[in-house]
Amino acid sequence: MADTDTIVVIGGGIAGVSCTETLSTLCKNESITLVTASPLIKAVTNFKQISRRLEEFDVVENPSSELQEAHRNVTVLQAKVVSIDPLKREIVTSTGESVPYTKLCICTGGSPKLIMKDDPNVIGIRDTESVSQFQAKLGGSRRVIIVGNGGIATELAYEIEDCEVVWAIKDKSISSAFVDAGTAQFFLPHLSGDKKVQEGPMKRVKYTVKPSPASSSESGAKGGALGPDWSLGIPMNGQVQRSRHVRVEYECEEIWRTKNTDWPVYALLTNDKLYGCDFIVSATGVVPNGNEFVTQNLDLKLAMDGGVIVNDCMKTNIDHIYAAGDVCSASWDWAPHWLQMRLWSQARQMGCYAAQCIKADLNDEAISLDFCFELFAHVTKFFGYKVILLGKFNGQGLDDEYDILLRMTKGVEYIKVILKDGRMQGAILIGETDLEETFENLILNQLDLSRYGEDLLDPGIDIDDYFD
Ligand SMILES: Cc1cc2nc3c(=O)[nH]c(=O)nc-3n(C[C@H](O)[C@H](O)[C@H](O)COP(=O)(O)OP(=O)(O)OC[C@H]3O[C@@H](n4cnc5c(N)ncnc54)[C@H](O)[C@@H]3O)c2cc1C
Ligand SMILES: NC(=O)c1ccc[n+]([C@@H]2O[C@H](COP(=O)([O-])OP(=O)(O)OC[C@H]3O[C@@H](n4cnc5c(N)ncnc54)[C@H](O)[C@@H]3O)[C@@H](O)[C@H]2O)c1
């Protein structure tokens, strides 16, 4: 049970845990209570900075006792929060327990935005439980349809084996939530045939689930979102031995489904094609759990995407209440080369920064926006390749008034640079290019690169020598 001077954090995902750990270090004399619906909580381990902005780390799911043991001023309460009373400054859990707070940080994540809720033939993937459900269904399947064109769909299209895959996308090219049509071309050969054999170690974050006696979450609440490398070590095999092949249906949506004796479900696409399949994966994005606590009492302002609006101090519109991670919408004036994407790295950064803001607030100190929000930087892996996205990597917000430099070696690497008025605005680096550090600097320092022209990507020139 929390005492009266407690900072409360809601949510045991990466945002909530990062916030709690940072608070514990910064505010040694305060007590901190993490209230989470899930029995397991996330932890970042082996954190390494692979460049100034790109982070490498492993992620584990631990029993909450480990957090309490490591941080003496932290108490973890496994409970679902059902309401927040900003006047009494307390939260109430589903078991009726109330916990007072001095400061509160909402880190309740998001929920999969499914094309059809409550249809057993349509599943989404968010947490460990939903992956188990997916694996079990896939094991007995001959054909699945993937709907959606973002991170999850891209990973599944690569990972699923021994099962026919139909990938139905609204766009003209695959993986459009991350890359443009030109870059997607580089990945197309990997939709069929053997998977890429990894050469050497990958600079990439890793996800591990530690076995724990605890298994069910409170009141059916979902666990934290899966993250980096969630699919590694998770066999994704169907029931028919066959070589990998993904059939992509472009520019269509799934509009209607029915049952039949041959297949558990038939899906009609807007291009008039009808596919029978065993089940449909809806990998169609995330809705922030922003409105979960909105009541007459708690008029939390939400953005158009459903996220809780936060300012550059991670504060919501309600006094003493902060938000971080997938649940929030960053509503400050973004730096020219930053954008919000609901990603693991941003959830961690926002959680840590929210803690710094809370500490500053408690001590009446000023705080300025953390430098991690100066440049968008994401490292991931698609189709077996390391993928690094920097700055305005797709020319976002540049109104098509930019130049593109490209370098591509089929099956090895793909480099795309976005330039405006000769200055680098963003880049996509696929493969082991080792250009991330130099490009980060070039985006941040806005050096005029006009005189280098295409030499900028000439493989015969050691670009580091130019700029370091
Ligand atoms: C399949 C998958 C793969 C992904 N892969 C990547 C990747 O490769 N790279 C990457 O950067 N990002 C990836 N992401 C995104 C990343 O996982 C999320 O952006 C990040 O984990 C969000 O963290 P969070 O703490 O904000 O929210 P969450 O992880 O969703 O955590 C929310 C927490 O709040 C708790 N909660 C919710 N409501 C309540 C309540 N009322 N009371 C108490 N507790 C509550 C939940 O139980 C949970 O513990 C992936 C996501 C998925 C689903
Ligand atoms: N490697 C990575 O970095 C990685 C991997 C997996 C997931 N994630 C993150 O996890 C979260 C969830 O992943 P996700 O793939 O579900 O979301 P996403 O936001 O990456 O992609 C959602 C996709 O679904 C499409 N879509 C939306 N509604 C649709 C509809 N009705 N019909 C057809 N298509 C529709 C969108 O156009 C978009 O292409 C995201 O925040 C994502 O960034 C990241």
Side-chain angles (χ1 to χ4, degrees), residues 11-12 14-15 37-38 81 126 204 222 225-226 292 326 343-344 378:
I14 208 64
S38 49
V81 175
R126 179 77 185 165
R204 205 209 168 206
K222 299 290 174 203
L226 293 160
E292 205 181 357
D326 276 10
L343 294 169
W344 193 275
H378 183 49

Side-chain angles (χ1 to χ4, degrees), residues 10-16 35-38 40 42 79-82 107-110 125-127 152 155 204 221-230 289 292-293 324-327 342-345 347 378-380:
I10 313 175
I14 208 64
V35 189
T36 184
S38 49
L40 294 170
K42 298 278 192 277
K80 182 173 176 172
V81 175
V82 288
C107 304
T108 47
I125 295 183
R126 179 77 185 165
D127 51 12
I152 295 179
E155 297 195 341
R204 205 209 168 206
K222 299 290 174 203
L226 293 160
D229 278 356
W230 65 280
N289 293 330
E292 205 181 357
F293 305 120
D326 276 10
V327 73
R342 290 192 162 84
L343 294 169
W344 193 275
S345 43
H378 183 49
V379 56
T380 186

Side-chain angles (χ1 to χ4, degrees), residues 113 115 147 149-152 155 178 283-286 342-343 378 380:
K113 190 183 80 171
I115 44 171
V147 179
N149 200 11
I152 295 179
E155 297 195 341
F178 285 83
T284 38
V286 179
R342 290 192 162 84
L343 294 169
H378 183 49
T380 186

